[in-house]
Amino acid sequence: TDSDLHRLLHPSCQGTCALHEALDQALADTKRAGRATFEIADRMLGLDLVVIFNAASGDARTELKRTAFSVGDITSLRHVERELTILNRTLEARVEERTADLSHSNTLLRAEIRRREEAERLLLASHRELELLPAHIANAQELERQRIAQDLHDSVGQSLSAIKYALERAQVLIHRQAIRESSDVIGAAVRRAQRLIAEVRTISMNLRPALLDDLGAASAVRSLCRDWQSTYQEVALEADIDVTDGEIPGSLTTTIFRVVQESLHNVARHAHARHVRVAIHLEDGLLSVVVQDDGEGFTVSDETLPMPPHFGLRGLRERTERSGGRYRLVSAPGRGTTVDLQWPVEPGSAARSASQALN
């Protein structure tokens, strides 16, 4: 019976335990199905109960004579199963870890491929720009020569011709003893000569402002802004120049002036703006020059194309980067244009530049 089997397997038990309950259920299952198997996990035992029928009849409906059972120690089996479970989990964790590592490596590899493709694209673009640079320089020089020649012809040449004619007229009047008329003609020639001097000073200012040599970039830019405002009175110009001449290194003096001059020239020719702002600041060792307008703007990607209208912007970038600065252009159709240029400036570099210039 189950009680005899329980006392045999669990002699120290004084009451009902899990083994006793399992035996009751197993015997009931054996009578119904002919066989039952169960395990006692806390005791690490495995029991197999089998019905033995009457050998003569072999009929399952005959009276049950006896039940055979076998008891086995399943400790090693369960240990092996537990180790296999742990091993499977470990292997799954390693597979997941390796999969994550491979996924991360693939992501980094794809990013590196994109970076190299972008670098190659920029390198090809730089090669194309370098191929166009000699022609651009020659074209810019020719245009500058044409502009200077036109200025000299329109202002200096015509004024000198008028003065020459006035002096010749005065000379004729003097020979005729018309002293008063000759005096009036000479007076008009003097006044025209004074205007010519002012025009020559303007041309000289455009070529090389004396303020750059006498004072510095900040003063020259302020003067440039005043002259530009007087010429283009329909555009409001705001000059926010929060640096002194001594704070700008001598190596950047001409560069700062030229980039502002070229930027304002672009605003006058292309922007159709109502307001333009010129700002120069020095903060935390970084000298920044910003020229911002509220004009028509354009698509920035077009700036990289080798088209003549953008040679001025390309010149700004080349001049900035050649002097060790950083060039940034922000623009969009209908939203104006911002040219943002920055140079790292070491403390005392402006003083050293001034001292070297004096020596």
Side-chain angles (χ1 to χ4, degrees):
T1 65
D2 59 341
S3 299
D4 297 333
L5 187 56
H6 176 257
R7 284 195 299 271
L8 176 63
L9 297 176
H10 197 189
S12 61
C13 181
Q14 301 299 323
T16 301
C17 63
L19 176 60
H20 190 266
E21 294 176 356
L23 284 170
D24 286 344
Q25 183 64 42
L27 286 173
D29 293 341
T30 301
K31 292 178 181 180
R32 184 178 64 257
R35 185 167 187 163
T37 301
F38 69 93
E39 297 178 2
I40 302 298
D42 60 342
R43 304 182 66 84
M44 303 301 285
L45 294 176
L47 282 81
D48 187 14
L49 284 75
V50 181
V51 175
I52 298 177
F53 297 100
N54 189 311
S57 64
D59 188 354
R61 293 171 295 179
T62 61
E63 183 181 357
L64 180 63
K65 299 298 183 179
R66 58 182 60 86
T67 300
F69 71 92
S70 61
V71 180
D73 186 354
I74 61 173
T75 303
S76 300
L77 178 61
R78 293 298 173 257
H79 283 170
V80 171
E81 290 179 350
R82 187 180 298 110
E83 290 178 358
L84 286 175
T85 301
I86 295 174
L87 180 60
N88 287 335
R89 292 176 180 174
T90 303
L91 289 176
E92 290 175 357
R94 289 182 178 178
V95 169
E96 291 178 358
E97 182 180 355
R98 288 294 297 162
T99 302
D101 291 341
L102 288 175
S103 177
H104 181 63
S105 299
N106 288 336
T107 301
L108 294 178
L109 183 59
R110 287 192 293 268
E112 179 65 17
I113 291 174
R114 288 194 297 269
R115 187 188 66 81
R116 295 195 177 189
E117 289 176 347
E118 179 66 14
E120 183 178 359
R121 186 188 67 80
L122 293 176
L123 183 61
L124 291 175
S126 298
H127 285 165
R128 288 195 296 268
E129 290 184 2
L130 286 175
E131 292 174 355
L132 292 170
L133 183 59
H136 162 51
I137 293 175
N139 183 56
Q141 290 176 341
E142 188 61 32
L143 289 176
E144 188 65 15
R145 292 190 185 100
Q146 181 181 356
R147 185 185 66 80
I148 295 173
Q150 190 68 36
D151 288 343
L152 291 176
H153 176 270
D154 293 344
S155 60
V156 178
Q158 293 180 5
S159 296
L160 287 176
S161 296
I163 292 172
K164 174 179 175 294
Y165 174 79
L167 293 177
E168 289 174 346
R169 174 65 176 166
Q171 188 178 27
V172 171
L173 291 174
I174 290 174
H175 287 164
R176 294 178 180 177
Q177 301 296 320
I179 304 301
R180 179 176 297 177
E181 291 85 347
S182 64
S183 177
D184 293 338
V185 171
I186 292 175
V190 169
R191 289 189 295 274
R192 182 175 289 273
Q194 290 174 340
R195 290 195 297 271
L196 177 59
I197 291 172
E199 292 175 358
V200 171
R201 184 180 294 112
T202 300
I203 295 175
S204 176
M205 175 69 179
N206 291 331
L207 293 175
R208 176 69 183 184
L211 287 175
L212 282 177
D213 301 318
D214 298 339
L215 295 177
S219 298
V221 170
R222 290 189 183 95
S223 177
L224 171 66
C225 290
R226 287 192 296 268
D227 292 342
W228 193 92
Q229 181 67 92
S230 64
T231 302
Y232 303 97
Q233 298 181 5
E234 70 279 5
V235 183
L237 187 147
E238 175 189 355
D240 181 14
I241 303 174
D242 190 23
V243 293
T244 63
D245 293 317
E247 290 176 319
I248 300 178
S251 58
L252 295 178
T253 297
T254 302
T255 299
I256 298 297
F257 179 82
R258 292 304 182 193
V259 296
V260 175
Q261 185 183 47
E262 181 65 28
S263 298
L264 290 177
H265 179 68
N266 290 335
V267 172
R269 291 187 59 187
H270 307 296
H272 303 289
R274 296 186 302 273
H275 180 270
V276 60
R277 176 175 177 267
V278 177
I280 304 179
H281 295 276
L282 177 61
E283 185 175 357
D284 297 331
L286 202 62
L287 179 64
S288 65
V289 176
V290 177
V291 180
Q292 182 179 22
D293 68 71
D294 61 353
E296 295 179 348
F298 57 94
T299 302
V300 175
S301 59
D302 291 344
E303 190 269 333
T304 60
L305 299 177
M307 299 296 290
H310 300 296
F311 273 147
L313 294 174
R314 183 173 291 112
L316 281 177
R317 183 177 65 187
E318 292 169 356
R319 186 187 292 272
T320 302
E321 294 177 349
R322 188 168 57 247
S323 59
R326 183 187 64 82
Y327 168 90
R328 188 171 72 95
L329 177 69
V330 179
S331 185
R335 298 187 178 183
T337 301
T338 299
V339 176
D340 185 0
L341 314 175
Q342 293 182 342
W343 290 265
V345 176
E346 297 180 2
S349 59
R352 289 196 298 271
S353 299
S355 176
Q356 292 171 0
L358 291 175
N359 293 333

